[in-house]
Amino acid sequence: MKKFAQVKTSIPGPKSQALLERRKRVVPQGISNNCAAFVHKAEGALVEDIDGNTFIDFAGAIGTINVGHSHPKVVQALKRQVEDFVHTGFNVMMYESYITLAEKLTELAPGKFPKQAAFFNSGAEAVENAVKIARKYTKRQGIVSFTRGFHGRTLMTMTMTSKVKPYKYEFGPFAPEVYKAPYPYEYRKPNGMNEEQYHEYIIQQFEQFLLAEVAPETIAAVVMEPVQGEGGFIIPSREFVQRVYTICKEHGILFIADEIQTGFGRTGRYFAIDHFGVEPDLITISKSMAAGVPISGVIGREEIMNVSLPGEIGGTYAGSPLGCQAALAVLDIIEEEQLNVRAERIGRIVMNKFQQWSDRFEQVDGIRGLGAMCAFEMVKDKTSKQPDKELVSRIVREATNRGLLLLSAGIFGNVIRLLMPLTISDEQLEEGLFILEESLEAVLSPQYI
Ligand SMILES: Cc1ncc(COP(=O)(O)O)c(C=O)c1O
């Protein structure tokens, strides 16, 4: 018996259907949507659509809602801010919340050295600015990102991104001086290699990349997701991250951690890079930083951050008062509700379930997780590991129809990733996992296949 998810109409229901028709006329299809329904209200881990259907949210606005939808503290902070003033532009008249946020984040970010923080609007904009700052500081141009990485949809970040369709196809020419390095993918390591050999192999591949593709002394920065998000929640080995970091240090290359999807408690730490024992020169943040209010930022070593001259970075809405206030509320919530601990617990419950499904279904494989950043792959079978994107599309559809919002990921589109709010209750989490299990059973039952 379901307590939270309530689906009363077909999805989309009649009201959403009517809006979809309007949308099709005036909104381009290039702006995609995972679920065909329109939201009415969202609270905690639940989202209600305009037809009265309630969904358990395992998508969390693609990793934006770690503290839950409309957390009362966030709502209060926003209301207070709106009553005082909405926007002056930090570059016109400054406000205290920007400074307080910078103080808190520079304190939380790894590394005991002096740091500064600058705020922007979107994830892509944070990455763009990190690249600008790195180039200015090093006086070099090369930027290294990784295979299967995702950094955004602007020209530079699209260039740094890996998945050709839909992110890059026919959008060239791309920005120059961007190089794509190999990144570990343990689940798909070459046959016959054990874990240790594979770690060594991929490090060698990275070293060879510096011989074959780009000279280290021309590289301004290496930009790495500590766990690849859109790429399919791929967790690199600690050795790999540390080796890349050491190579960066040896050659005066800046190490930038893109924490836009991994940050703010998702992996059981404020920053996922904390798991790997390295201290990045710069960190990009956004998404769960402000519970859905658009804001992003770059945190980094003071001497690097401070290199750009007045007016060289920033923007009209960059680090808006609403974003700063929401972000300050988020930091309080993470601490007060111990969401890092909660992420670990969610991760254990989810991984336990994934293991059961993997034992039961030949098509569920490649289970992995760091804190509450958990995923599995759908494959034709465990021997061939052939990705099955179609199966994932069907599971997402089945789950939606049963009241669960779910996301896919991965270069092959065959990964199911979970990004539920960390404030989800145990009961809601269990119900969501139950719906996912039902959806798996439905698409894997003989009559469905
Ligand atoms: C790791 C990472 N970097 C950058 C971005 C781009 O963020 P935005 O969509 O806000 O531009 C994303 C978005 O998914 C991301 O996951």
Side-chain angles (χ1 to χ4, degrees):
M1 177 64 193
K2 287 178 199 156
K3 238 170 98 179
F4 301 101
Q6 300 288 335
V7 179
K8 301 170 184 162
T9 69
S10 56
I11 309 291
K15 289 182 181 162
S16 283
Q17 188 62 51
L19 275 181
L20 259 179
E21 296 306 319
R22 285 170 56 195
R23 181 216 136 111
K24 275 183 201 151
R25 278 193 293 276
V26 290
V27 179
Q29 61 179 351
I31 311 267
S32 65
N33 51 274
N34 207 53
C35 165
F38 285 77
V39 62
H40 167 56
K41 218 172 165 7
E43 207 179 318
L46 301 177
V47 178
E48 191 190 325
D49 76 5
I50 53 175
D51 290 287
N53 302 302
T54 303
F55 301 84
I56 296 176
D57 190 0
F58 273 14
I62 323 185
T64 304
I65 309 291
N66 286 0
V67 302
H69 291 280
S70 304
H71 192 291
K73 284 213 153 175
V74 174
V75 173
Q76 263 308 316
L78 291 173
K79 279 185 177 162
R80 272 200 310 269
Q81 182 59 55
V82 169
E83 276 165 13
D84 286 349
F85 63 96
V86 175
H87 197 56
T88 54
F90 192 74
N91 43 6
V92 176
M93 186 176 280
M94 300 173 286
Y95 30 91
E96 186 177 350
S97 54
Y98 192 114
I99 313 297
T100 313
L101 185 61
E103 284 168 350
K104 293 203 171 187
L105 287 172
T106 50
E107 188 60 36
L108 282 171
K112 287 272 166 276
F113 40 83
K115 286 170 232 135
Q116 293 188 333
F119 303 117
F120 306 97
N121 297 291
S122 67
E125 206 184 332
V127 177
E128 291 272 354
N129 277 280
V131 166
K132 276 171 69 176
I133 294 166
R135 284 181 167 166
K136 181 111 190 164
Y137 179 77
T138 58
K139 302 205 167 31
R140 301 174 181 177
Q141 294 181 354
I143 297 296
V144 172
S145 59
F146 290 88
T147 312
R148 288 182 312 276
F150 182 88
H151 301 283
R153 289 181 173 84
T154 57
L155 179 59
M156 184 64 188
T157 58
M158 166 181 71
T159 306
M160 292 163 64
T161 288
S162 252
K163 199 171 175 179
V164 180
K165 289 183 183 177
Y167 301 129
K168 303 167 75 131
Y169 187 60
E170 296 177 335
F171 289 131
F174 301 107
E177 289 305 315
V178 175
Y179 302 88
K180 212 64 52 56
Y183 188 96
Y185 192 175
E186 203 166 318
Y187 176 63
R188 297 193 176 276
K189 66 179 183 305
N191 280 339
M193 250 185 219
N194 66 29
E195 217 172 274
E196 214 170 295
Q197 288 165 331
Y198 181 64
H199 289 163
E200 197 42 46
Y201 165 79
I202 205 81
I203 288 168
Q204 278 170 15
Q205 292 275 305
F206 185 79
E207 287 168 343
Q208 275 178 35
F209 158 83
L210 294 176
L211 298 175
E213 301 295 335
V214 57
E217 60 269 29
T218 64
I219 303 173
V222 164
V223 186
M224 182 191 282
E225 291 167 86
V227 177
Q228 287 188 327
E230 300 302 302
F233 285 17
I234 296 169
I235 309 166
S237 69
R238 201 177 151 89
E239 294 93 312
F240 177 74
V241 178
Q242 293 197 343
R243 185 72 191 119
V244 171
Y245 182 77
T246 310
I247 291 172
C248 285
K249 294 292 114 186
E250 283 166 7
H251 296 282
I253 301 167
L254 302 189
F255 183 95
I256 304 178
D258 182 345
E259 292 266 7
I260 287 163
Q261 195 158 151
T262 48
F264 296 92
R266 174 55 48 189
T267 68
R269 307 280 163 86
Y270 278 98
F271 302 100
I273 199 71
D274 285 336
H275 290 279
F276 297 91
V278 303
E279 295 170 347
D281 298 299
L282 301 176
I283 300 177
T284 54
I285 50 172
S286 191
K287 290 195 185 266
S288 274
M289 168 183 184
V293 181
I295 185 171
S296 64
V298 181
I299 314 168
R301 289 179 187 271
E302 183 191 10
E303 71 271 21
I304 300 170
M305 291 295 293
N306 223 4
V307 75
S308 50
L309 299 172
E312 288 184 346
I313 55 173
T316 304
Y317 295 112
S320 78
L322 289 169
C324 290
Q325 291 292 2
L328 287 170
V330 163
L331 292 178
D332 285 347
I333 295 163
I334 294 178
E335 197 181 324
E336 285 164 16
E337 301 186 18
Q338 297 189 26
L339 293 187
N340 283 320
V341 179
R342 179 76 191 138
E344 299 280 1
R345 177 173 159 78
I346 290 172
R348 280 195 299 276
I349 294 170
V350 167
M351 289 303 286
N352 200 12
K353 259 291 175 247
F354 283 5
Q355 190 58 59
Q356 287 171 21
W357 296 340
S358 185
D359 292 344
R360 190 172 151 208
F361 301 113
E362 179 60 15
Q363 296 88 343
V364 175
D365 206 12
I367 62 172
R368 50 199 177 239
L370 191 62
M373 196 162 182
C374 306
F376 61 86
E377 301 208 15
M378 293 304 294
V379 292
K380 300 273 186 217
D381 58 80
K382 288 190 172 77
T383 315
S384 74
K385 296 184 176 180
Q386 207 182 318
D388 200 334
K389 179 179 173 174
E390 176 51 31
L391 215 45
V392 166
S393 307
R394 285 198 257 151
I395 292 166
V396 171
R397 217 163 34 239
E398 286 288 336
T400 308
N401 291 339
R402 290 171 157 79
L404 178 71
L405 297 181
L406 199 59
L407 289 176
S408 62
I411 201 92
F412 307 112
N414 72 318
V415 175
I416 290 183
R417 58 169 156 168
L418 306 192
L419 285 165
M420 67 284 282
L422 303 174
T423 51
I424 192 169
S425 69
D426 279 356
E427 262 184 305
Q428 290 167 339
L429 177 63
E430 247 156 59
E431 188 171 309
L433 290 169
F434 175 75
I435 296 174
L436 181 48
E437 184 167 311
E438 269 190 347
S439 309
L440 277 168
E441 281 167 354
V443 302
L444 295 174
S445 70
Q447 60 270 38
Y448 201 108
I449 292 166

